[in-house]
Amino acid sequence: MEHVEIRVDKLKGRSLFAVKDFKKGDILFEETPLVCSQFEWNALYKYLACDHCMKSLENAEDMSRRLAANPSLVLPFPQCCKVKKEEHTVCPHCKVLYCSDGCRDSAWHLYHRVLCQGASVADPNHPTEKLKDAWRNMHYPPETSSIMLIARMIALVKQCDKKDQILSKFAEFCKSTVNEEEHIAHKLLGKEFQEQLEILRSLVCEAFYDEHVQQWFTPEGFRSLFALIGTNGQGVGTSSLSVWVHNCDALELSDEERQTLDAFIDQLYVDIEKESGTFLNCEGSGLYTFQSACNHSCQPNAEVTFPHNNFTLQMVAVQDIKAGEEICISYLDECDRERSRHSRQKALRENYLFNCNCSLCQSQIDDPDVTSEEEEEEDEEQMQEDS
């Protein structure tokens, strides 16, 4: 990445800085993950995605029919869907789906030889399937991570000729203290996290043990690995439907045609929400070297986008950025960023284990500690659960 650099500070850890000036809207960098995996519930519910790059494999019409539970639905302007089913392929051994020969070959070269079960129908007694089933029973939707990220990390090391090189890349991700690791595991797995974490560790050992990373299979090492993906994982979402909508927006239409199309799309999303809620995309998570070095700000100067409908991430400037300036993103969604300083700090402490000292939080330091009614209700529900 020639225009950005990672710097390491003893107190702050890893941070990302610009080495040239950027204008608002500029692409700072583009990167693919070291590892990426679709969420297990997402896959179980037939959100078809390339097993390597996460590209949505359903065309927009098929995706709309499934999400809206309307098998006779017909989308106008089918040319706006860019899914190329004729290019889709499978692993010849286990029949895992890929968007192209290129993704299939890349997966086989990087990690899939280790993960391939060699059967077209998954054996529920296979160690990998038992691991996936255990994870789904511990981590219900909405998922925020996947145990298969750990499996792919191990598989990468197993298949890599230069094992020290790939291990050093994983070592670059930010680490947590023991207390923080336990908090992260508790957040992901709930009250029974210690017992559940040990179950997952045993299943991972059964399926993938390797002496080159034997430290990852100890209770302490596995907890650290689990915290690493919980702390550094970046959500990935792909949708052939959203691509179709975006391309429809770019069509040159008469005013009447535009109004008709917009009304159709609005109604489609209403129908989908009734049937599927907001669970629209093929979703997963990945580990990205440069993105993971971006610290949080409640007034970020950059944001993460996925413009290619796959796991390729772009970091885009949302403000002008000067050379030497730190690149910051928001760990909070847009709705949460509009909340009070107190509410933002509460969310960041609970989910990311730090107090924010960004310029916005500093400017609001004397504001009253105001918590929304919604958060108070959540606190009451949590107190009832804990009691």
Side-chain angles (χ1 to χ4, degrees):
M1 301 289 175
E2 56 181 320
H3 301 313
V4 298
E5 68 178 7
I6 295 174
R7 301 178 188 174
V8 181
D9 180 271
K10 287 184 178 179
L11 295 176
K12 199 173 182 180
R14 298 165 78 238
S15 304
L16 193 67
F17 287 82
V19 297
K20 59 162 283 188
D21 292 347
F22 292 98
K23 293 292 186 183
K24 180 179 178 179
D26 285 351
I27 298 171
L28 309 183
F29 63 87
E30 188 171 280
E31 70 172 326
T32 57
L34 287 176
V35 288
C36 184
S37 178
Q38 187 180 8
F39 291 146
E40 289 307 311
W41 279 105
N42 200 262
L44 191 68
Y45 283 135
K46 307 300 182 185
Y47 287 73
L48 300 180
C50 175
D51 198 58
H52 182 62
C53 80
M54 281 284 300
K55 180 173 287 187
S56 177
L57 298 180
E58 292 176 294
N59 63 35
E61 189 167 86
D62 288 343
M63 178 173 265
S64 299
R65 288 174 172 178
R66 176 174 56 80
L67 292 172
N70 182 357
S72 62
L73 180 66
V74 177
L75 296 189
F77 305 105
Q79 72 274 18
C80 288
C81 178
K82 300 304 179 183
V83 173
K84 298 178 180 178
K85 288 191 173 183
E86 68 276 7
E87 295 183 2
H88 295 175
T89 188
V90 298
C91 168
H93 309 291
C94 66
K95 309 305 178 186
V96 162
L97 297 169
Y98 296 102
C99 68
S100 65
D101 290 344
C103 272
R104 180 197 61 201
D105 295 345
S106 292
W108 185 259
H109 173 71
L110 291 170
Y111 57 83
H112 189 64
R113 286 202 311 272
V114 168
L115 301 179
C116 182
Q117 297 184 31
S120 58
V121 179
D123 178 2
N125 294 315
H126 190 282
T128 301
E129 292 305 309
K130 290 195 291 185
L131 175 64
K132 291 179 179 180
D133 186 61
W135 174 258
R136 286 193 296 266
N137 283 296
M138 294 175 188
H139 198 312
Y140 295 99
E143 290 173 276
T144 54
S145 189
S146 172
I147 195 65
M148 291 309 293
L149 278 180
I150 290 179
R152 290 194 177 184
M153 290 171 70
I154 296 168
L156 274 171
V157 175
K158 280 190 168 188
Q159 287 193 206
C160 185
D161 293 332
K162 299 178 180 178
K163 300 187 188 304
D164 290 341
Q165 193 175 79
I166 189 66
L167 285 171
S168 68
K169 289 183 179 180
F170 287 131
E172 292 175 4
F173 288 96
C174 68
K175 302 296 193 299
S176 308
T177 66
V178 171
N179 288 339
E180 288 172 337
E181 289 174 352
E182 291 192 352
H183 179 98
I184 293 164
H186 184 278
K187 193 75 177 177
L188 288 175
L189 297 176
K191 290 187 293 186
E192 307 300 325
F193 76 95
Q194 288 181 324
E195 178 182 341
Q196 292 176 338
L197 201 60
E198 180 56 29
I199 291 171
L200 290 173
R201 186 185 73 87
S202 297
L203 290 170
V204 169
C205 286
E206 180 185 358
F208 304 113
Y209 182 82
D210 188 86
E211 62 181 9
H212 293 98
V213 284
Q214 56 185 303
Q215 70 275 13
W216 287 355
F217 295 94
T218 67
E220 297 79 11
F222 186 75
R223 185 189 61 219
S224 296
L225 201 58
F226 194 81
L228 184 149
I229 65 168
T231 303
N232 295 277
Q234 164 66 47
V236 179
T238 65
S239 168
S240 55
L241 175 58
S242 66
V243 172
W244 175 82
V245 170
H246 176 77
N247 290 333
C248 282
D249 289 342
L251 291 172
E252 293 186 7
L253 303 172
S254 68
D255 290 344
E256 183 179 353
E257 288 174 320
R258 174 58 62 189
Q259 289 176 2
T260 300
L261 178 59
D262 288 347
F264 176 88
I265 293 173
D266 289 343
Q267 185 59 50
L268 174 60
Y269 277 112
V270 169
D271 295 341
I272 287 174
E273 186 172 2
K274 285 181 182 178
E275 184 66 29
S276 301
T278 57
F279 197 36
L280 305 184
N281 298 337
C282 299
E283 295 185 347
S285 61
L287 295 177
Y288 295 81
T289 300
F290 284 86
Q291 173 275 333
S292 67
C294 290
N295 289 313
H296 165 83
S297 171
C298 296
Q299 282 187 317
N301 55 16
E303 67 178 4
V304 170
T305 65
F306 292 91
H308 305 301
N309 194 34
N310 63 11
F311 65 17
T312 301
L313 175 152
Q314 276 187 0
M315 190 68 69
V316 179
V318 295
Q319 299 177 17
D320 291 350
I321 301 173
K322 297 292 186 183
E325 187 177 348
E326 184 177 1
I327 298 166
C328 293
I329 59 177
S330 176
Y331 297 173
L332 303 174
D333 62 29
E334 191 170 350
C335 180
D336 285 337
R337 291 207 303 271
E338 297 300 318
R339 296 189 172 198
S340 68
R341 176 184 183 274
H342 178 74
S343 297
R344 298 195 309 271
Q345 295 277 0
K346 179 176 181 288
L348 291 166
R349 279 195 304 272
E350 289 181 352
N351 294 296
Y352 301 99
L353 313 180
F354 71 90
N355 291 312
C356 182
N357 292 309
C358 74
S359 57
L360 180 60
C361 286
Q362 287 297 313
S363 71
Q364 297 174 341
I365 198 166
D366 294 324
D367 288 1
D369 289 344
V370 178
T371 305
S372 69
E373 292 179 2
E374 179 185 1
E375 288 172 327
E376 289 173 357
E377 291 173 0
E378 290 174 355
D379 287 344
E380 291 179 4
E381 290 175 1
Q382 187 61 52
M383 289 175 63
Q384 292 174 357
E385 289 179 6
D386 292 342
S387 61

